[in-house]
Amino acid sequence: MMQAAENFTTTFPVDRTPQEAFEAITNVRGWWSQGVEGVTDQAGGEFDYRFKDVHRCKVRVTELVPGQKVAWLILDNYFNFIDDQAEWKNTEVVFEISEKDGGAEVRFTHVGLVPQYECYDVCTNAWGGYIAGSLRNLINTGTGQPNPKEDGNAPAHQHAATVHRAKRSPQATSLADTEVSA
């Protein structure tokens, strides 16, 4: 069995209530990608995420506890820069929200995203940008930095991940050369 310490986790405080944090988390288009298609705010709902030809996944919302928790199951996943396409399949993404110092604290864990995975460095870099950057900004200010729907400039954290991918995968080089940080 996998030890919890191996899963990727990040925690950050916000200046809003736990319920406001919950509402921002379920607004996946506001912080992860404007191009998300499907249901992101209902238990049992499913949605599709896609970033160019680099990453796509199908996600099921498995748990919603207003002001406290959001959990997803990754049903299917594809990365163009790794060999083992099963790395994210059947992993869980969990957001735990608690009241803290007049605001809230958000704890993000990608259960099953472990250092042994080929995608770990790129994925933790990207999650760091989306979670501690875009989601945190969406909660605190009402404006996140999600990926645009199509053909727009990706957020700055996505550029760093693309450069890292280019080092590992020659096919990603053209994307790294053409992307401009937002």
Side-chain angles (χ1 to χ4, degrees), residues 37-59:
E37 294 181 3
V39 178
T40 64
D41 60 354
Q42 295 176 14
E46 294 183 1
F47 63 92
D48 294 308
Y49 166 85
R50 180 183 177 125
F51 179 70
K52 302 189 181 193
D53 66 340
V54 175
H55 181 206
R56 62 181 178 268
C57 63
K58 183 167 204 62
V59 179

Side-chain angles (χ1 to χ4, degrees), residues 32-128:
W32 194 11
S33 176
Q34 294 172 351
V36 162
E37 294 181 3
V39 178
T40 64
D41 60 354
Q42 295 176 14
E46 294 183 1
F47 63 92
D48 294 308
Y49 166 85
R50 180 183 177 125
F51 179 70
K52 302 189 181 193
D53 66 340
V54 175
H55 181 206
R56 62 181 178 268
C57 63
K58 183 167 204 62
V59 179
R60 177 178 296 137
V61 179
T62 57
E63 188 174 2
L64 293 176
V65 181
Q68 297 177 28
K69 187 175 183 181
V70 174
W72 303 337
L73 175 65
I74 307 298
L75 300 172
D76 198 16
N77 190 74
Y78 168 80
F79 290 115
N80 76 350
F81 58 93
I82 64 170
D83 294 324
D84 183 1
Q85 294 302 319
E87 285 190 350
W88 269 34
K89 285 183 185 176
N90 297 315
T91 61
E92 294 179 279
V93 174
V94 180
F95 301 84
E96 296 169 301
I97 310 159
S98 57
E99 195 168 340
K100 186 171 183 176
D101 300 329
E105 182 176 85
V106 176
R107 179 180 178 88
F108 169 89
T109 304
H110 190 152
V111 180
L113 178 57
V114 295
Q116 297 82 2
Y117 280 0
E118 184 180 358
C119 76
Y120 186 80
D121 290 341
V122 170
C123 292
T124 57
N125 178 316
W127 272 140

